[in-house]
Amino acid sequence: MVTDWRPTATLEILRERARLLAEVRAFFAARGMLEVETPVLGHGGSTDRHLASLNAEATTPAGRERLWLQTSPEFAMKRLLAAGSGPIYQLARCFRDGEVGRRHNLEFTMLEWYRPGFSLDELIEETVALVRRVLGRELGDEAGPLRRRRYRELFREHLAIDPFSIELAALRRLAGERGGLSMFDASRDDCLDLLLSLAIEPHLGREGIDVVVDYPASQAALARRHRDPEDGEWVASRFELYLDGLELANGYDELTDAEEQAARFDEDNIARRAAGLPEVDVDVRLLAALAHGMPEGSGVALGIDRLIQLALGKSSVAEVMAFATPRC
């Protein structure tokens, strides 16, 4: 007999969750932004080799097709931007295979919004304002000041290395020592990601809201790139926001060049093959929308379950979800 049918969150917490989601909607309504809904299923998925997309066989007017459960509503929302939607936001159901834990769930809610004409700095300020509003007056004040931290400087501060210039062999040794793993054939980005998660992220957002900027250009994903003023090194025009050691948001100065985006998708699938991972279908409709013309601007994805977890003082996202995996 099944005994684990009850919700993973209490009804009181679910009422608080509903109240906080209403605060999110009020925040964007006051700024004249349009709430949208886009499909959970798409013909293309995320090619990012660090994400595991789920797919399903479905009968469509074209016959039996493979459709992808979206890891983010990004592609469809960008198609709306190209169609002239103006500033938009969405509270979207998203899916990422294998991501279950205190801070993750296979199915989760992503808050994502796009601001045509906004600089990355303007979007950072708006993201911080939203976070403070959801945390509430007292918690928002306690979150402390906003600090911008450069990716490169964080590695120098916590690990005494320059992540852009350290030799790969030395980087692999350091990552292996810190992680207790064999990293002899790991990529530079895999080593950096491991070191970031183990040695740097736990310290972020402890004395205020930390926003990390100027990531390696190889980690640009769907963001533009720019030159580091320090030495001209290419870096990604993106940010991640941290509070209490928890990564809450990931924002981009959005890439609008269709050819460049297509090349990045191809590079991703090449990397997936090299890592023994299945290839993911490219979203050709996104590429068509970019070729048509998407307005320049910035966008950000924020894990709303994590933010609600912080606002309500809970230790895991399961405690603020009606039915977390595997109780779904």
Side-chain angles (χ1 to χ4, degrees):
M1 181 178 179
V2 175
T3 59
D4 62 347
W5 58 268
R6 294 185 180 279
T8 50
T10 67
L11 295 180
E12 179 184 359
I13 291 299
L14 293 178
R15 292 187 184 98
E16 283 297 293
R17 179 187 176 99
R19 179 184 65 80
L20 293 174
L21 292 179
E23 289 286 340
V24 170
R25 288 188 164 96
F27 178 90
F28 289 115
R31 287 159 174 76
M33 294 182 65
L34 175 67
E35 182 176 7
V36 299
E37 293 179 297
T38 57
V40 168
L41 290 169
H43 283 88
S46 173
T47 58
D48 187 331
R49 73 182 185 90
H50 295 102
L51 297 180
S53 297
L54 292 164
N55 62 75
E57 290 287 326
T59 301
T60 75
R64 292 294 291 177
E65 293 188 277
R66 179 171 63 175
L67 298 177
W68 297 89
L69 288 162
Q70 299 301 288
T71 61
S72 156
E74 180 171 6
F75 295 170
M77 292 183 77
K78 286 182 172 179
R79 289 166 59 189
L80 289 175
L81 291 169
S85 67
I88 54 177
Y89 79 97
Q90 180 171 188
L91 286 158
R93 301 302 289 176
C94 299
F95 304 82
R96 297 182 182 181
D97 195 13
E99 297 197 6
V100 179
R102 190 167 62 87
R103 298 179 174 183
H104 299 86
N105 199 63
L106 190 147
E107 179 181 0
F108 61 99
T109 302
M110 181 85 83
L111 169 62
E112 196 150 329
W113 73 97
Y114 291 87
R115 281 291 207 166
F118 257 40
S119 68
L120 204 60
D121 283 342
E122 289 174 306
L123 188 63
I124 288 171
E125 295 295 338
E126 185 167 69
T127 305
V128 170
L130 183 278
V131 167
R132 291 189 186 282
R133 171 139 182 188
V134 173
L135 291 178
R137 180 174 300 174
E138 183 178 345
L139 280 173
D141 292 342
E142 289 179 357
L146 167 64
R147 301 188 303 174
R148 284 178 171 81
R149 311 296 306 277
R150 295 179 67 234
Y151 182 95
R152 201 172 193 176
E153 291 174 350
L154 287 170
F155 275 81
R156 288 168 172 163
E157 176 184 338
H158 292 280
L159 291 162
I161 64 168
D162 185 327
F164 296 166
S165 63
I166 184 174
E167 292 185 356
L168 181 55
L171 182 62
R172 285 170 171 167
R173 284 196 300 272
L174 178 60
E177 292 167 1
R178 288 290 184 133
L181 301 169
S182 175
M183 304 290 285
F184 76 96
D185 61 349
S187 70
R188 176 174 289 272
D189 281 333
D190 284 344
C191 292
L192 292 176
D193 286 346
L194 178 65
L195 291 169
L196 181 70
S197 65
L198 293 177
I200 298 175
E201 284 186 345
H203 302 284
L204 295 175
R206 299 297 183 181
E207 299 176 5
I209 296 175
D210 283 334
V211 172
V212 182
V213 298
D214 296 343
Y215 282 74
S218 56
Q219 299 179 23
L222 279 77
R224 293 178 185 270
R225 296 165 177 161
H226 66 272
R227 295 285 190 180
D228 188 330
E230 179 178 324
D231 58 4
E233 182 85 27
W234 282 106
V235 293
S237 303
R238 54 174 287 220
F239 73 89
E240 291 194 8
L241 184 147
Y242 288 84
L243 182 60
D244 198 23
L246 193 62
E247 185 243 313
L248 293 177
N250 187 4
Y252 298 157
D253 180 358
E254 299 294 346
L255 181 65
T256 58
D257 186 312
E259 291 186 2
E260 172 65 18
Q261 188 59 73
R264 293 192 194 179
F265 284 155
D266 288 342
E267 290 170 2
D268 285 346
N269 269 325
I270 290 170
R272 293 182 72 85
R273 287 197 300 271
L277 300 172
E279 290 189 41
V280 175
D281 296 330
V282 168
D283 192 324
V284 295
R285 289 179 175 85
L286 169 65
L287 297 177
L290 294 179
H292 169 77
M294 189 182 87
E296 294 186 2
S298 297
V300 60
L302 185 149
I304 198 69
D305 303 303
R306 290 184 179 184
L307 182 57
I308 292 173
Q309 173 193 338
L310 282 182
L312 300 182
K314 299 301 176 181
S315 61
S316 72
V317 293
E319 296 176 86
V320 300
M321 294 178 169
F323 299 101
T325 308
R327 206 181 292 187
C328 52

